[in-house]
Amino acid sequence: MPDFVMEVSHSHTCIVAELDDGTCRWVKAARQKLDCRYKDMPVEVSLCGSGGLGPLSKGQRLETVRYELEQALTRFVSLFKDDILSFHFLRKVKTFPGTQIHVLQPSRPNIFTLLQKELRNSKLRFEEARFEFIPHCTLYNGTFLEKFLDESEITQRRAEVQRF
């Protein structure tokens, strides 16, 4: 019987941190109101894929990726000892400068920065990052979605985002 090896084969494989149920419900409800085409996107913070660390490099064995993730998470959790580790988000919408990308940011962004640092210090290989790392969860990506809207809808949508 042949020996199969599973490896990273997609050119844009990311690592994300999923968020708590309360934040997920809030984000999904806001996305539903702002643009239902975006409502089913995952509610998460990308730890590698675009900001700070690019996507995982192709050709890495999945068992190695899993092992390195477990090791990085173990080191990360040990940094907090008695501190309560939580991914709480501010319920205030921020906009990335020069874009129509509206996001929620964590109340403690350093937690995500430290987690990404542990990934960077692992034996995992990453592609070049396109952006600096700013921990966030995207609420509304007008840069993409507004390509499909009429001008009057764009103005209305932007006003709705500002009310959150």
Side-chain angles (χ1 to χ4, degrees):
M1 176 172 256
D3 186 25
F4 292 100
V5 175
M6 295 184 69
E7 61 182 42
V8 175
S9 60
H10 192 272
S11 63
H12 198 84
T13 303
C14 302
I15 298 172
V16 302
E18 294 179 344
L19 306 183
D20 66 272
D21 289 341
T23 301
C24 285
R25 283 191 299 276
W26 192 88
V27 167
K28 285 181 182 258
R31 287 176 176 173
Q32 174 69 37
K33 183 173 179 143
L34 296 170
D35 194 315
C36 64
R37 292 173 289 191
Y38 204 64
K39 72 176 173 52
D40 293 324
M41 295 294 291
V43 179
E44 45 78 9
V45 172
S46 296
L47 297 170
C48 85
S50 63
L53 291 173
L56 283 167
S57 298
K58 288 182 182 181
Q60 298 178 81
R61 293 176 63 125
L62 291 183
E63 67 183 42
T64 302
V65 171
R66 180 177 173 221
Y67 175 80
E68 288 297 324
L69 283 173
E70 288 173 350
Q71 295 302 304
L73 288 170
T74 299
R75 289 189 304 272
F76 169 72
V77 169
S78 72
L79 296 173
F80 290 89
K81 300 200 185 331
D82 297 327
D83 193 8
I84 296 174
L85 184 59
S86 60
F87 297 155
H88 293 289
F89 278 71
L90 304 172
R91 294 290 202 267
K92 182 177 179 184
V93 178
K94 299 275 190 181
T95 305
F96 283 158
T99 73
Q100 283 302 316
I101 300 174
H102 303 274
V103 301
L104 291 181
Q105 292 183 305
S107 56
R108 295 172 63 188
N110 65 315
I111 290 175
F112 293 95
T113 304
L114 289 170
L115 183 49
Q116 190 183 72
K117 180 180 176 186
E118 289 302 327
L119 292 173
R120 184 184 307 280
N121 292 336
S122 73
K123 294 178 184 173
L124 295 172
R125 296 184 319 277
F126 300 93
E127 299 299 320
E128 189 75 24
R130 297 184 313 172
F131 307 102
E132 70 175 289
F133 184 57
I134 300 172
H136 70 279
C137 177
T138 302
L139 187 64
Y140 175 73
N141 186 346
T143 304
F144 169 73
L145 295 172
E146 291 177 0
K147 294 175 185 177
F148 306 102
L149 301 175
D150 294 329
E151 191 63 38
S152 62
E153 288 180 287
I154 292 172
T155 303
Q156 177 185 353
R157 204 56 56 89
R158 288 182 182 177
E160 285 181 47
V161 171
Q162 295 308 314
R163 286 194 287 271
F164 272 91

